[in-house]
Structure formats: C-alpha cells, structure tokens
Amino acid sequence: MSQSTKLEFHIGKIGGMVPLLTMVGLMLLLTFNGVGGPKAAWAPGFIAIILGMFLVKSKRDYFQSILDGIADKTGVVVITAWIFAAVLGSLMKAGGLVDGILWFGMSTGIQGSMFLIIVFMSTAIFAMGTGSSNGANLALAPILFPAGVYLGADPAFVALALLSGAVFGDNVAPISDTTIVGCTTQGADFGATVRQRMPLSLTAGAMALVALVFFGQGDGLVEAATQNGESARPESLLMLLSVAAVVFFALKGRHLLEALSYGILVAAVVGLGIGAFSMSDLFTVPSERGVSNGIIEDAIAGVTGAVVFVILILGVIKIFMNSGIMDDILSFITDRVSNSTRSTELLMFYSTSVSSLLVSSNAPSQLLVGPTLVKPLGEKNNITPERRANLMSASVCSIFYMMPWCLAVMVWYSAIETSAISSGLAVPSASISFMAPYPWALLGVMMFSIITGWKRYGNQPQAQVQPA
C-alpha cells in the first residue's frame, strides 16, 4: 500500500493505531465469545473509523485516506478473485460433487481423519497451481468441508485441513504473490528460492498431516453420509475436471481470473451434461423481487460478508499507514539491530510477521519491509537473497494465518461458515485458526532452521556467509 497524505492526530502518531487496535480488539472479543466472522467485523470496523475521526486534525484528509485504502489495487484483486472462486465452488457443489466424494470415501474406506489427507492435498494442489490460498478455500470449502464432516472427521479439523493445505500450497507455489514479492524485493533467483525452501516446507507439511490424522477423528459417519453416498452418482466426480482446468491454465501462465473462468465454464458444461442442474438453475428471471435468480447470484451473495470486511479493514489500515508510525517502527528496529546472523534472521522473520498482522495482508507487508528492512540488513550480514526471500515468505505463511482478523483467514472462515450453514452443519468458531497445524509447524521448522542454521546456506558455501 502506498502512502499518500500524512495524517496528524491530536495525541501524536499513536493516534493512527487507535482505529486499528479498536477494530482488532472488538473482533477478538467477538471471536473468543464464539461469534466472530466477516459479518461480525462490520460493526467493529465502523466503530473504529468513527472513533478515529475525533482524534485526527484534518477530517477531510482522514476520510480521503479511507477511500484511498478501499481503492487500493490489492483489495480490488482479492475481492474479484473471491467472487470468481466462489462461483466455481457453488457450481461444483450444485453438480453433486459432495455426494460423489461421499461415494468415493465410502467405497474406498477413506473416512474419518484419514480423509483429511485428501482435504489437505486437494487444497494444496489447487493453491500450488493458482498461487492463491484464498481461491483454494473459496472453491473447495463448499465441497470438502461437508464431505469431510459427513465421512466422520472432526468439523474443526476439516476446516483446519482446508486452511493448512491452502497455506502449504501457497508457500511452495512459484507463482504465489508471496514468492514473487519476496524474490523481487530481495533480488533472489526464483528457482533457487523455491528449491531451498522445499525441505523446510515439506517437513512442516508432513508434521501438519500427522497432527491432522492424529487429532482429526470425529464421532463416525454422519447418517446423511450413508443416505447421500448410496444415492450418489459416480459421474458427479467428473466435476473435478473444473479444478483440473483451473490448475492447468494457471500453470500455463494464464491470469488467475482467466484460469478460474475456464474452471467455471467446465463446471457448468459438466453439470449440465450429467443433468445435475439446468440452465434455469444458473440464471432465470425470478417470479418476484427478492427471490434468487440462480446459482451465480447465490454464490456471489455468499462472499458479501467477506467483501464488506475487506472494505472496512483496508480503510482502517490506510489510516494506520498514513499516520507515519510504521516508518518510525522500521527506523527504530534498523537502528538497534545486532550483527549476528541468527539474531538478524530472527529480526527479519518477526518484523515481517508483525508487519503482516498490522496491515492484515501478506504480500503488501513484504513490500513494506522487504526493501526498507530485510534487504539492507541481509546485505549487511551476508545473508543470501534466497534465504531472505524464504524467511519473508515463511513468516507470512505462519503466524499470519493463525490470526482471525487477517484477510486470508477471514476468507477461509467465510467459506467454512457459508458451507456449514448451507449444509445444515454446526459452524466452528473462528478461534480455531489459532490451532492451524501447518502455520504452527512452519513456525517451528523455521525457528529450528534459524537457531541451528539448518538449510540456511542452500548451495552457497558456508565460508562465504558470516556464522551466527
């Protein structure tokens, strides 16, 4: 996010943090009381904006900053991708893919916590191919969440398997925005960066899978699973061709929205072809005002809560950025840095993490601290560009994905909430994000790597790098 007009507050720069802290604090209050989520964040965001108005000197500049934040390209891209991915997920669900997966699970015996391996790998592959954890969750949660619960997995861990798989796929994807921004800001080689991070990411992924299988067993098959699975048609599994189309075109270098569009077209054609739905189910003129005109409208309506949340959080974040307090924080850190490799890597990792939590988005936080903090410190202490890029990417794929006020976590929870309600299932609390297995595993692996030096150097001779 670029800075525009500097905001001045009656209580100094600290005033720029008041709206952000107010919104996050009220969101956490709701979350810990079991009623968190995108729609629940609307009132905290609105209250935060009104409160900040009384602290700022120029009301005109204050509200212009909010509008600048809402108009930021990051938000526009995220919202548009959400809409396309949500339509894709709704079409696959309407095509009977949930029942098809139930039939597969019952036929093969892959049920309970073992099914979470399929959930994790499916979202990982989707996110790896598209470079988007948001797209993976929005497209696949409507299918895999109810299927996993019906097949006897614990609902909370089905949700966490979706989140963990999506983060893992995003972490290892060469086309992920976190990888691209990390490499670009550090001048790192893309291929070498991804190769060097693979042992770290795969270790964390294996740890996450073990945790999901060990803790994710539910109370057994839900009665609906037997009924729906027995009546399911195996041909509904053809809806998976739409996922394959998205991943194929994304890997071919097509724009994410183009790849999602091809997936939507394939899902529509397959669904119509197997008779799962008709053209009138996709779009029709409703009999009266207020009645849905079809699957596409319902899908877009399902992400409305998350879209409004994005609008509010982007406005609040822009207030924080335009206060100038972030510049002071970065300057304070730079002036007090240690010269050892280990402490410098810890500083780079946690500075990026804190930045991502403050701006509620991962790639923009890398753009903020990458050129201003990570690169100069890394060059000063002879830390390779690839290592620096991997530290940044890992930091925004670990702690960031545990916090329920961050954009990507809200997208995931919105998808879970919508899927649960539409399937008649209980909605897990948003606070389960604090238990996300892959982010925790990645955090542990990176701390081990930083402290011990494991995989620090890649193919670089250790003699060229200052030891910790």
Side-chain angles (χ1 to χ4, degrees):
M1 295 182 183
S2 61
Q3 294 193 12
S4 51
T5 304
K6 288 287 185 181
L7 296 177
E8 295 184 2
F9 294 83
H10 295 296
I11 59 175
K13 291 183 180 179
I14 196 69
M17 292 193 68
V18 172
L20 180 60
L21 293 177
T22 299
M23 183 175 183
V24 171
L26 292 175
M27 287 173 60
L28 288 176
L29 176 65
L30 294 170
T31 297
F32 288 130
N33 281 279
V35 290
K39 288 187 70 174
W42 293 0
F46 192 82
I47 292 170
I49 290 173
I50 297 300
L51 176 61
M53 179 182 70
F54 293 102
L55 301 176
V56 74
K57 293 182 178 179
S58 173
K59 308 297 189 286
R60 178 181 295 275
D61 290 342
Y62 177 79
F63 284 105
Q64 185 58 51
S65 292
I66 293 172
L67 294 177
D68 290 343
I70 294 172
D72 188 86
K73 181 181 178 182
T74 300
V76 174
V77 171
V78 167
I79 289 172
T80 307
W82 290 359
I83 292 173
F84 278 66
V87 172
L88 173 61
S90 293
L91 286 174
M92 289 192 295
K93 184 173 184 178
L97 187 53
V98 173
D99 291 345
I101 292 176
L102 290 179
W103 172 85
F104 173 79
M106 295 177 65
S107 300
T108 61
I110 302 177
Q111 302 171 10
S113 63
M114 294 303 296
F115 184 74
L116 299 183
I117 298 175
I118 293 179
V119 176
F120 181 94
M121 296 306 299
S122 298
T123 50
I125 292 170
F126 193 102
M128 196 182 307
T130 61
S132 171
S133 64
N134 293 329
N137 280 314
L138 284 169
L140 299 182
I143 311 302
L144 295 177
F145 180 75
V149 176
Y150 290 154
L151 287 172
D154 183 275
F157 279 89
V158 179
L160 292 174
L162 282 159
L163 178 61
S164 292
V167 181
F168 171 76
D170 184 84
N171 185 213
V172 300
I175 61 174
S176 167
D177 56 353
T178 59
T179 301
I180 293 170
V181 172
C183 290
T184 302
T185 59
Q186 302 308 306
D189 178 82
F190 280 81
T193 299
V194 174
R195 287 193 300 271
Q196 290 180 24
R197 88 170 48 155
M198 288 305 289
L200 304 168
S201 301
L202 290 173
T203 300
M207 293 168 62
L209 277 174
V210 170
L212 289 168
V213 172
F214 187 80
F215 295 106
Q217 182 63 39
D219 297 327
L221 282 175
V222 176
E223 183 178 353
T226 304
Q227 298 173 351
N228 295 349
E230 290 176 349
S231 62
R233 298 180 301 171
E235 60 265 29
S236 62
L237 290 174
L238 290 173
M239 295 299 293
L240 290 171
L241 290 173
S242 59
V243 177
V246 174
V247 174
F248 173 79
F249 284 106
L251 292 176
K252 294 286 286 184
R254 303 298 180 89
H255 193 282
L256 175 60
L257 295 181
E258 182 183 357
L260 287 170
S261 296
Y262 291 133
I264 290 169
L265 290 174
V266 171
V269 170
V270 172
L272 292 169
I274 64 175
F277 49 75
S278 64
M279 287 296 297
S280 61
D281 293 320
L282 296 176
F283 177 79
T284 188
V285 178
S287 57
E288 58 184 280
R289 184 184 296 275
V291 177
S292 170
N293 58 38
I295 295 172
I296 297 174
E297 179 189 328
D298 292 338
I300 296 174
V303 295
T304 303
V307 168
V308 176
F309 165 75
V310 171
I311 291 173
L312 290 169
I313 193 68
L314 287 176
V316 170
I317 289 169
K318 194 64 174 179
I319 297 168
F320 169 76
M321 298 300 293
N322 282 2
S323 70
I325 194 170
M326 194 66 189
D327 295 333
D328 292 346
I329 293 173
L330 293 176
S331 177
F332 177 86
I333 293 173
T334 304
D335 293 342
R336 287 159 179 79
V337 67
S338 167
N339 288 326
S340 75
T341 301
R342 182 182 297 118
S343 60
T344 301
E345 288 192 346
L346 285 170
L347 179 60
M348 289 191 289
F349 184 91
Y350 284 107
S351 294
T352 309
S353 293
V354 170
S355 172
S356 70
L357 301 184
L358 290 174
V359 304
S360 187
S361 189
N362 43 23
S365 70
Q366 291 176 288
L367 283 171
L368 179 63
V369 301
T372 58
L373 180 70
V374 174
K375 187 174 183 179
L377 291 181
E379 291 176 343
K380 177 182 177 182
N381 290 278
N382 297 318
I383 299 173
T384 65
E386 290 74 26
R387 174 68 169 179
R388 301 195 305 260
N390 281 329
L391 286 169
M392 292 176 65
S393 294
S395 70
V396 297
C397 287
S398 53
I399 299 174
F400 172 83
Y401 276 96
M402 303 176 196
M403 303 303 164
W405 69 82
C406 294
L407 285 180
V409 180
M410 273 295 181
V411 174
W412 158 77
Y413 186 73
S414 174
I416 296 298
E417 183 180 48
T418 302
S419 176
I421 293 173
S422 65
S423 302
L425 300 171
V427 181
S429 168
S431 62
I432 63 172
S433 64
F434 290 114
M435 303 187 299
Y438 182 77
W440 271 111
L442 184 61
L443 176 62
V445 168
M446 292 307 299
M447 290 304 97
F448 179 81
S449 174
I450 291 172
I451 293 171
T452 66
W454 180 57
K455 297 299 178 182
R456 172 178 292 154
Y457 304 106
N459 297 325
Q460 185 111 345
Q462 296 190 19
Q464 297 181 19
V465 185
Q466 179 180 333

